[in-house]
Amino acid sequence: MFLTTRALVLREVKYKEADKILTVLTPSDGKLTVKARGAMRKSCRYAAASQIFALSEMTLFGSRGRWSLNEAETVEQFLPLRDSLESFALAAYFAEMLELLSDEDCPGPEMLQLGLNSLYALSRGLFLDEQIKAAFELRLMCLAGFEPALDGCRVCGREPEDALLSLNGGVLHCRSCRPEVSGVSLPVPPECLQAMRYIISAPPKRLFSFSLPEGSLRRLADICEAYALAQLERSCGALDYYKTVKRNG
């Protein structure tokens, strides 16, 4: 069977002499593993369309649960990401997270849109990297079924004073209510809580349209990253690499 779809390349792995194994994210079929024969050759007609971060119109051939690339035309390559090692590393983290949290043969239009909007904003320098990263992490966790409950204290039900977020439980609680909530909790300043509530509910095209002072933005970034990693219960190699690049930059 043939499938024609837009697909974002999340990962590319060299296979044999000139082939690639691609992991792509599609709106209708979710995450797919695709063999791209000859994609390593410069003369290959879909060499550019099979590079990481490329959004391409692909025609795939499926047989016995396996997909191979038949034709592809590039829609967007996000080329500015390759001009900055830090931006490229952050984009690689986005791609790894999308791969981890998307499902095979399951529609994922919202995740694909989030990935594309984030790569676009990052490649164009529309917002600060920390702002894009924090919004991406929190919104992705919501789409993956890990939306934190931020409407009030889980214990007393009131708007929390000196709010803390339980990283494992995904709930807010007052500092005075902490003994009734197990696990690690992080303080959430009021301006960060307001930004998190905005990120959870904002229209996709307005996701990054919030502002915070520099110190508060760093705090928001720390909270969103810690929450995402706690929910995943694992580390991300691309995140470690991004931090190394950022620290040495």
Side-chain angles (χ1 to χ4, degrees):
M1 62 173 286
F2 285 94
L3 170 67
T4 299
T5 182
R6 286 201 168 186
L8 175 65
V9 179
L10 302 178
R11 183 156 60 103
E12 53 176 342
V13 177
K14 183 178 179 180
Y15 179 71
K16 294 185 177 179
E17 184 176 343
D19 300 345
K20 285 183 182 180
I21 302 298
L22 308 177
T23 302
V24 304
L25 184 60
T26 70
S28 59
D29 293 81
K31 179 173 59 180
L32 297 175
T33 301
V34 178
K35 184 176 182 180
R37 293 183 176 87
M40 297 291 292
R41 298 191 181 98
K42 293 182 180 180
S43 59
C44 178
R45 64 186 184 278
Y46 47 69
S50 60
Q51 293 181 352
I52 191 168
F53 311 140
L55 174 66
S56 304
E57 191 77 25
M58 295 184 174
T59 298
L60 310 176
F61 177 72
S63 177
R64 298 179 181 179
R66 298 181 179 180
W67 294 98
S68 59
L69 186 58
N70 191 57
E71 296 179 358
E73 183 177 350
T74 303
V75 177
E76 174 62 68
Q77 290 183 273
F78 303 106
L79 290 176
L81 294 174
R82 290 163 170 77
D83 296 334
S84 164
L85 184 56
E86 188 173 318
S87 294
F88 188 91
L90 183 53
Y93 170 56
F94 292 169
E96 182 176 353
M97 290 287 280
L98 288 168
E99 183 179 357
L100 284 172
L101 290 167
S102 56
D103 295 319
E104 295 186 5
D105 302 321
C106 180
E110 295 89 358
M111 281 195 184
L112 177 58
Q113 184 178 35
L114 173 62
L116 294 175
N117 289 349
S118 300
L119 292 177
Y120 182 85
L122 182 61
S123 67
R124 301 303 194 273
L126 300 180
F127 303 92
L128 295 173
D129 288 2
E130 283 185 326
Q131 188 163 343
I132 300 170
K133 176 177 172 292
F136 170 85
E137 288 168 328
L138 183 55
R139 188 63 162 253
L140 181 63
M141 300 313 295
C142 294
L143 294 177
F146 302 105
E147 180 177 335
L150 304 180
D151 51 341
C153 175
R154 179 64 179 269
V155 179
C156 69
R158 297 189 294 268
E159 180 71 12
E161 296 183 5
D162 296 327
L164 292 97
L165 173 67
S166 169
L167 296 183
N168 298 105
V171 296
L172 282 179
H173 60 91
C174 305
R175 186 172 295 276
S176 59
C177 297
R178 180 168 184 162
E180 299 185 37
V181 178
S182 61
V184 176
S185 295
L186 290 182
V188 184
E191 65 274 16
C192 292
L193 179 56
Q194 184 177 0
M196 292 174 73
R197 286 170 171 168
Y198 175 84
I199 291 168
I200 286 175
S201 60
K205 291 185 178 181
R206 300 285 298 170
L207 179 62
F208 311 111
S209 299
F210 61 92
S211 60
L212 285 174
E214 183 178 349
S216 297
L217 181 57
R218 285 198 300 268
R219 185 64 187 148
L220 174 68
D222 290 342
I223 294 169
C224 292
E225 178 184 304
Y227 179 70
L229 295 181
Q231 294 300 311
L232 287 176
E233 298 183 332
R234 57 165 293 173
S235 60
C236 292
L239 176 60
D240 295 336
Y241 178 65
Y242 166 68
K243 288 183 175 181
T244 299
V245 170
K246 187 177 177 64
R247 185 168 55 249
N248 296 334

